[in-house]
Amino acid sequence: MSLPWWKKAVFYEIYVPSFCDGNNDGIGDIQGIISKLDYLRELGIDGIWLTPFYRSPKVDNGYDISDYFAVDRDYGTMADFERLIAEAHRRGIRVIADLVLNHTSTSHPWFQEARSAKDHPKRDWYIWKDPAGGAPPNNWESFFGGSAWEYDEKTGQYYYHAFSKNQADLNWTNPEVKKAMFAVIDFWQAKGVDGFRFDVINFLKTSGKFPNNPYDEKGEQIHRFDKDQEGILETVREICAECRRRPEPFLVGEVGSEDLQILKRYSGKGLLDAVFNFNLGSMEKFSVKRIFAELKRMEEAYTDEQTPTLFFSSHDMSRHISRFGRPPHEVETAKLIATLMLTARGIPFIYYGDEIGMRDLYLDDVKKMKDVQGIAAYEMAIASGKTEGEALKIANERGRDKSRSPMQWDGSEFAGFSDASPWLPLSDQSVHVEGQRKDPDSLFNHYRRLIRLRKAFPALHAGRYRVLRERDGVIFYIRSHQEEKILVVLNFNERSVSFPAGDFLSEGSEWLFPGERRRIRPDEPLKLAPFEGVIVKI
Ligand code: NOJ
């Protein structure tokens, strides 16, 4: 039985404004991406996930769409987009588009019409409520902070926004909304996209009732009534069916939850192909026990029809090298995480720049901050009496600009990203593609070799776990597919270890990684340097 293409694929997330600037206005764009497709082929990835490129006022960097049928002027034209698809496909690279179905920008004409009058036919496309005694309808909080309700003077009602007040939530119980969004899906599929990454797909439905959300013991709101509501799976099913009118789209959902029991409901037959598992990405501290526990939990929770996802960084979180790496072992830890991501069971998503070890960006002035979440955190901190310095620190922690700095291509002034000063400052400029390409031991070449191995050996892209264990800071697993069995041993210790692999090795065993492929004797102990990963065909 042949596997769907995406089960074998390694994906690469491109944060569109930050990858490469083709027209030297300081903002990354589609022409820039086209110019780097050969680089992506050299890296060896199979698919790119493009963050939103549609027309948008960019209050939330494109997750606030004002025209679903147009490419934002900062990023290029529709002709550029069509060329990107053609050029990517010519190189065997598929493209999945990030689609925001939950909310639109408040400057979208739909919202403009909806807000124009209470009896406008589009009014019900969004979620409106009367004030409760002069206050918002309930206590629901926006994910960027503050109330999720915004008062509209003209019509005297509040509208609901799970994110910023410029991102109004659509009312998915209205069939017109569904119809309008299905037209969007059709449009981009006709342009040739190979699938979608659905933004906050579990938020689409509210229950129609609006009880207050409870709080946990730390005083943080539990989002019980504003996501994962009844009927959501039927809606997701319908969306997936619409997409599958064309052959084999890859449908991956961002389900905003860390609860695997919730996450797993969204994928499987008739549903999404996969959902993002935030448990790895949101891990603040480097902990072998926790990484192992998450791998194990995914394995236990998912059925055969469900495929886990593997990622440790994204545009919403800090880069794993900055989170996990401690000098002098930053690069080694980043390599180890890459080895895990590219050999464990699940679909890997590499975040642009992680393959060269780009570091988090720290902004020393709130004026340089672009992320709505960071700015909101700063303002709330100031309002609660914090000093400017404290507020800046909080804003850097909560803000997401840290992982969105421009890709570093070379050692020139603007890192080869642009000839103009970029929209967001560059991070530590000592790492760049040009330098790493030449160095056989670089993180970049480590990624390249692993991607090739993953593709060459079915056990690594299609195999189940035969063994999945952790002992004394070493995670090891055997993945097998038909006759092929591959052992992966990952040393999370700061010291060298000798791993007794005698029970697993045989006369025909072959060392695959790192270094040259060679025969290995069954009694040969595997020696692992600090933070080293080893791969052996057993
Ligand atoms: C999730 C996206 O990844 C994030 O960047 C965005 O701010 C929210 N959804 C709202 O669309």
Side-chain angles (χ1 to χ4, degrees), residues 189 377 381 423 467 500:
Q189 284 191 314
W423 71 282
V467 169

Side-chain angles (χ1 to χ4, degrees), residues 194-320:
D194 303 287
F196 296 102
R197 177 264 187 196
F198 292 115
D199 192 60
V200 289
I201 190 87
N202 58 329
F203 286 49
L204 252 49
K205 275 222 151 149
T206 42
S207 67
K209 301 187 195 82
F210 295 86
N212 280 340
N213 274 330
Y215 293 91
D216 66 14
E217 63 286 354
K218 282 190 257 150
E220 284 183 21
Q221 184 158 107
I222 302 171
H223 289 273
R224 180 164 302 155
F225 299 112
D226 51 8
K227 57 179 195 170
D228 306 304
Q229 297 301 298
E230 216 184 303
I232 180 67
L233 292 181
E234 279 60 49
T235 304
V236 173
R237 225 178 263 282
E238 286 177 73
I239 295 168
C240 292
E242 181 64 25
C243 298
R244 294 196 179 107
R245 288 170 47 192
R246 293 183 197 253
E248 278 208 336
F250 174 51
L251 307 176
V252 56
E254 183 202 29
V255 174
S257 174
E258 285 179 22
D259 183 341
L260 266 184
Q261 295 312 318
I262 293 181
L263 285 176
K264 65 180 276 195
R265 292 183 202 147
Y266 287 84
S267 72
K269 212 170 171 35
L271 290 159
L272 298 164
D273 293 314
V275 295
F276 286 114
N277 295 107
F278 285 96
N279 322 53
L280 295 168
S282 60
M283 202 174 288
E284 289 297 332
K285 291 225 168 61
F286 190 58
S287 153
V288 61
K289 294 263 182 254
R290 277 205 55 201
I291 292 177
F292 177 71
E294 295 303 343
L295 292 180
K296 190 104 182 141
R297 281 197 326 139
M298 287 196 280
E299 203 41 31
E300 284 163 0
Y302 287 159
T303 64
D304 281 353
E305 276 168 358
Q306 297 174 309
T307 315
T309 51
L310 298 160
F311 72 101
F312 286 85
S313 312
S314 82
H315 66 286
D316 288 333
M317 58 190 66
S318 122
R319 291 183 179 276
H320 65 75

Side-chain angles (χ1 to χ4, degrees), residues 60 63 103 144 163 197 199-200 254 315-316 400 404:
D60 185 16
Y63 286 93
H103 46 267
F144 294 151
F163 296 90
R197 177 264 187 196
D199 192 60
V200 289
E254 183 202 29
H315 66 286
D316 288 333
R400 301 168 298 177
R404 299 176 175 180

